[in-house]
């Protein structure tokens, strides 16, 4: 099981990964854009669906642990370790 921190940008032109970055404390996070608006959890649902498709996993293997209303989300991914997760998203 792996955990992933994502900085989500809703209402984008296309669903895509913009690469990795680091916060002020040096912790890595993945920048992701989705077309869904941040209304009633639609952007969060779109993020889970996009990551599941990108990782070739069922959506049920991904869960939002923290950041429901924040730009920074913490996602738990079952079935992959940290190295496999980073390799799949690079």
């Amino acid at each position: 099981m792996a955990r992933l921190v994502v900085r989500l940008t809703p209402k984008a032109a296309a669903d895509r990964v913009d690469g990795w970055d680091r916060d002020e404390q040096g912790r890595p996070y993945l920048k992701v854009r989705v077309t869904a608006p941040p209304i009633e959890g639609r952007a969060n649902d779109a993020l889970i669906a996009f990551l599941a498709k990108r990782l070739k996993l069922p959506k049920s293997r991904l869960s939002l642990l923290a950041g429901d209303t924040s730009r920074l989300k913490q996602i738990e991914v079952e079935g992959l370790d940290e190295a496999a997760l980073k390799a799949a998203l690079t």
Side-chain angles (χ1 to χ4, degrees):
M1 195 170 324
R3 289 195 179 174
L4 172 68
V5 176
V6 173
R7 182 177 181 272
L8 181 63
T9 303
K11 293 173 55 174
D15 293 347
R16 71 174 193 253
V17 173
D18 282 345
W20 292 92
D21 206 348
R22 294 192 176 270
D23 66 9
E24 299 82 30
Q25 288 81 30
R27 296 175 295 206
Y29 63 86
L30 185 67
K31 297 185 292 184
V32 178
R33 296 177 184 265
V34 295
T35 57
I39 299 169
E40 298 175 359
R42 290 186 208 156
N44 292 338
D45 294 342
L47 172 64
I48 296 293
F50 174 72
L51 289 175
K53 184 176 180 181
R54 181 85 187 246
L55 296 170
K56 298 178 181 149
L57 292 172
K59 289 187 285 187
S60 61
R61 293 242 184 124
L62 283 77
S63 56
L64 181 64
L65 295 180
D68 188 45
T69 59
S70 170
R71 283 188 143 223
L72 283 177
K73 317 280 184 192
Q74 194 173 71
I75 310 289
E76 186 173 74
V77 181
E78 291 181 40
L80 291 177
D81 61 13
E82 298 284 336
L85 181 62
K86 286 195 178 196
L89 294 171
T90 301

